[in-house]
Every structure is written in structure tokens, then in C-alpha cells.
């Protein structure tokens, strides 16, 4: 099926929020946390890359992505060259990085564009009656806190949602958390063995954090992760 670009917005240096539609279907079915795969022929080679859906399922065929431009990358610069109205070949949503049902209190750990599936989950699941969610989000600079206003707004509206951004290269004006996500993990879990943990980002963060969780005694079924590389 085709994905047609409707619009994009730059939300941080080198990071864009894209709105696509799948014109061949009336409704795009997916579970929050799943990804789509885009393919195109670049330099004579067929290249396929996965992208987590950043929006919640809706009644329609639109969906949103959050993409980092990898400067020397084979595919992401090609997507950044797309103009509204242009299309790319897409395979429908799939993936196992979804919350366990029934939902339970969950700590979500993201770095960089690893925030995308958590935005989808929170938009879909966070409400007055939902379990408690903590979003621990690590980036280098304050300007890279993707969707910051949205998450801050959710944290104001829902006492059982905690948004914990942390910067590894903070500027002098930053008064919030600092260091990598691992530095705040134990506090986010606060000794509870009954929470689920979801991790999304590049491999080093996911691997390091999984080791820590294993040492803390978490069971494999309580931990879900998606590695971007
Ligand atoms: C299930 C899944 C979901 C994904 N969802 C997203 C998403 O929502 N947003 C997104 O931007 N990427 C996402 N990715 C990564 C994406 O598929 C591509 O790997 C990325 O766009 C780089 O592709 P490229 O061809 O430009 O770079 P390549 O030529 O493949 O170069 C790969 C290099 O880029 C690094 N890299 C990969 N992804 C990123 C990234 N996001 N930020 C910085 N460096 C990266 C790798 O470590 C590696 O060094 C996802 C990957 C998987 C497997
Ligand atoms: N994000 C962007 O806006 C952007 C745009 C264009 C290009 N790039 C380039 O793309 C590459 C990756 O970009 P990114 O910043 O989105 O992703 P990233 O490398 O995953 O960095 C995001 C955050 O994760 C931290 N991190 C790195 N390794 C970790 C680990 N093992 N455990 C826990 N946290 C870890 C980083 O801290 P450290 O500061 O310690 O690394 C940073 O705070 C970089 O080379 C970057 O320069 C990024």
C-alpha cells in the first residue's frame, strides 16, 4: 500500500513530525506501539526501514511519525526530501512492542525518537481510569525534548502520569533532571516489582537498561523493548 505525505513540522533540530495517510484504506488498523515499514529504490537498491507510529489509532487513515535525520543514512534523508503530496511504498502496521493487557502501571523509558511509540500509547490509553504511567525521556539538549508541551500538559491533567525528562548535556538554564535515563530508573520504579517496563531507542540504551532491570529482579515478561538499530 502507499503512504502519502500530508505535512511535516520540524520539532527539534534534525527531527520532524510527519503526518501521512494511507489512501487505499478507510481506516488504518494498528495497536499503539506498532510500526510501519517504508520501502523505496534508492541508488538502484531496494531499501526498507521501520518507523514507529507516533499517533493513536483513529477512525481514519491518517497516522503520524517522528523521524530523526541520520545524516549519512541510506533512507531517512530520502524521507526528509519528500514534499507533501508525494508517496512512498508502505507495509501495514505490525510489531510486538505493545502494552500487555490488562494494562498495569508502566514505566516507559525513551531516548531520542524512541519517544514515538510512547506518544501513541499515552494518547490511546491515558485517561482518568487508566493505570499510572511514568515517562522517563532522555535527550542531549532541552531543544530535543520532543512533544514536551504535550507531555507537560498531560502531567498537569493527570496526577497518575509523571513526565520525567532528563538531559545529558544540559545548558546553564536547565533546572531539571540530568544524566542518562538509567540514573533515574530506580526512583521511577520506587521498589515496586509489579510494574511493567517498556524501553525504546537505540541499542546501547536498551541493552544497558535491560541489564539493570534484570539485576533488579524483573521478570522477562514485565519488560518489553524496541531497538531502532
Ligand atoms: C521497529 C523500529 C522502529 C523504528 N522507529 C523509528 C522512528 O519512529 N523514528 C526514527 O527516526 N527511526 C526509527 N527507527 C529507525 C529507522 O528504521 C532507521 O534505522 C533510521 O531512519 C535510519 O535509517 P537510515 O537508512 O537513514 O540509516 P542507515 O543507513 O541504516 O544508518 C544506520 C545508522 O543510524 C543509526 N540510527 C538508526 N535509527 C536512528 C535514529 N532514530 N536516530 C539516530 N540514529 C539512528 C544506527 O545506529 C546506525 O548507526 C526504527 C527502527 C525499528 C527497527
Ligand atoms: N536527536 C537529534 O535531534 C539529532 C538530529 C540529527 C542528528 N542526530 C545525531 O544522531 C545520533 C543519535 O541521535 P539522538 O540524540 O536522537 O539519539 P541518541 O544517541 O539515542 O541520544 C539520545 C539520548 O540518549 C543518550 N544515550 C546514549 N547512549 C545511551 C546509553 N547507553 N544509555 C542511556 N542513554 C544513552 C544520549 O546521551 P549522551 O549525550 O551521553 O550520548 C542522549 O541523551 C547522534 O550522533 C546525533 O548527533 C541527532
Amino acid at each position: 500500500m502507499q503512504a502519502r505525505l500530508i505535512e511535516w513540522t520540524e520539532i527539534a533540530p534534525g527531527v520532524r513530525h510527519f503526518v501521512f495517510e494511507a489512501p487505499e484504506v478507510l481506516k488504518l488498523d494498528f495497536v499503539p506501539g506498532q510500526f510501519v515499514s517504508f520501502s523505496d529504490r534508492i541508488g538502484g537498491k531496494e531499501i526498507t526501514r521501520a518507523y514507529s507510529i507516533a499517533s493513536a489509532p483513529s477512525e481514519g487513515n491518517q497516522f503520524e511519525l517522528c523521524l530523526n535525520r541520520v545524516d549519512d543514512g541510506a533512507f531517512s534523508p530520502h524521507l526528509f526530501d519528500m514534499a507533501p503530496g508525494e508517496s512512498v511504498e508502505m507495509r501495514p502496521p505490525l510489531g510486538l512492542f505493545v502494552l500487555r493487557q490488562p494494562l498495569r502501571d508502566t514505566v516507559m523509558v525513551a531516548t531520542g525518537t524512541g519517544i514515538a511509540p510512547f506518544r501513541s500509547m499515552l494518547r490511546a490509553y491515558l485517561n482518568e481510569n487508566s493505570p499510572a504511567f511514568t515517562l522517563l525521556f532522555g535527550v542531549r539538549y532541552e531543544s530535543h525534548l520532543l512533544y514536551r508541551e504535550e507531555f507537560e500538559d498531560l502531567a498537569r491533567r493527570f496526577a497518575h502520569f509523571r513526565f520525567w525528562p532528563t538531559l545529558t548535556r544540559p545548558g546553564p538554564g536547565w533546572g531539571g533532571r540530568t544524566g542518562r535515563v538509567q540514573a533515574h530508573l530506580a526512583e521511577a520504579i520506587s521498589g515496586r516489582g509489579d510494574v511493567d517496563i517498556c524501553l525504546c531507542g537505540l541499542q546501547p540504551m536498551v541493552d544497558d537498561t535491560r541489564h539493570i532491570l534484570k539485576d533488579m529482579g524483573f521478570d522477562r515478561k514485565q519488560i518489553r523493548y524496541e531497538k531502532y538499530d
Side-chain angles (χ1 to χ4, degrees):
M1 75 171 50
Q2 294 284 304
R4 185 194 294 148
L5 178 61
I6 295 180
E7 60 182 14
W8 58 262
T9 324
E10 180 155 291
I11 54 172
V15 184
R16 287 186 191 170
H17 175 82
F18 288 88
V19 181
F20 280 91
E21 68 177 347
E24 289 141 272
V25 295
L26 287 175
K27 181 175 182 299
L28 189 72
D29 284 316
F30 64 93
V31 181
Q34 289 190 315
F35 62 86
V36 291
S37 294
F38 284 172
S39 304
D40 216 333
R41 187 161 278 280
I42 300 170
K45 262 181 39 187
E46 181 82 1
I47 300 183
T48 300
R49 294 286 184 272
Y51 294 100
S52 302
I53 300 174
S55 50
S58 72
E59 288 309 308
N61 60 4
Q62 290 197 4
F63 61 98
E64 298 165 11
L65 303 179
C66 174
L67 254 85
N68 217 29
R69 186 182 194 284
V70 175
D71 285 334
D72 52 355
F75 199 80
S76 56
H78 177 67
L79 291 178
F80 272 61
D81 285 342
M82 280 179 75
E86 292 181 345
S87 296
V88 61
E89 185 64 31
M90 174 175 88
R91 260 184 272 144
L94 49 90
L96 301 174
F97 186 65
V98 297
L99 294 185
R100 274 206 296 167
Q101 299 287 346
L103 297 177
R104 58 205 87 201
D105 292 356
T106 301
V107 175
M108 301 164 166
V109 183
T111 46
T113 48
I115 197 70
F118 297 130
R119 181 176 184 262
S120 176
M121 291 172 186
L122 289 165
R123 288 170 86 95
Y125 298 133
L126 178 63
N127 60 49
E128 284 81 4
N129 304 313
S130 68
F133 298 115
T134 298
L135 177 61
L136 182 50
F137 183 25
V139 295
R140 288 182 178 169
Y141 313 106
E142 196 169 355
S143 61
H144 285 189
L145 285 175
L146 312 171
Y147 307 111
R148 177 183 185 173
E149 288 77 20
E150 286 184 25
F151 296 130
E152 286 178 345
D153 181 53
L154 289 178
R156 274 191 294 272
R157 285 166 50 205
F158 299 105
H160 59 300
F161 172 61
R162 301 185 299 179
F163 175 49
W164 285 9
T166 180
L167 304 186
T168 49
R169 306 183 191 195
W174 177 252
R177 291 170 185 271
T178 58
R180 290 184 162 183
V181 288
Q182 293 91 327
H184 308 282
L185 193 60
E187 188 187 348
I189 293 166
S190 56
R192 289 183 51 187
D194 60 345
V195 289
D196 278 0
I197 323 257
C198 296
L199 315 170
C200 187
L202 296 181
Q203 181 176 342
M205 182 283 281
V206 172
D207 288 351
D208 290 353
T209 309
R210 280 178 66 215
H211 280 122
I212 295 173
L213 293 169
K214 215 174 137 213
D215 289 344
M216 284 176 162
F218 278 91
D219 194 273
R220 273 173 48 180
K221 67 173 185 300
Q222 290 174 272
I223 305 167
R224 295 208 169 171
Y225 59 91
E226 190 87 281
K227 293 185 199 180
Y228 278 1
D229 57 338

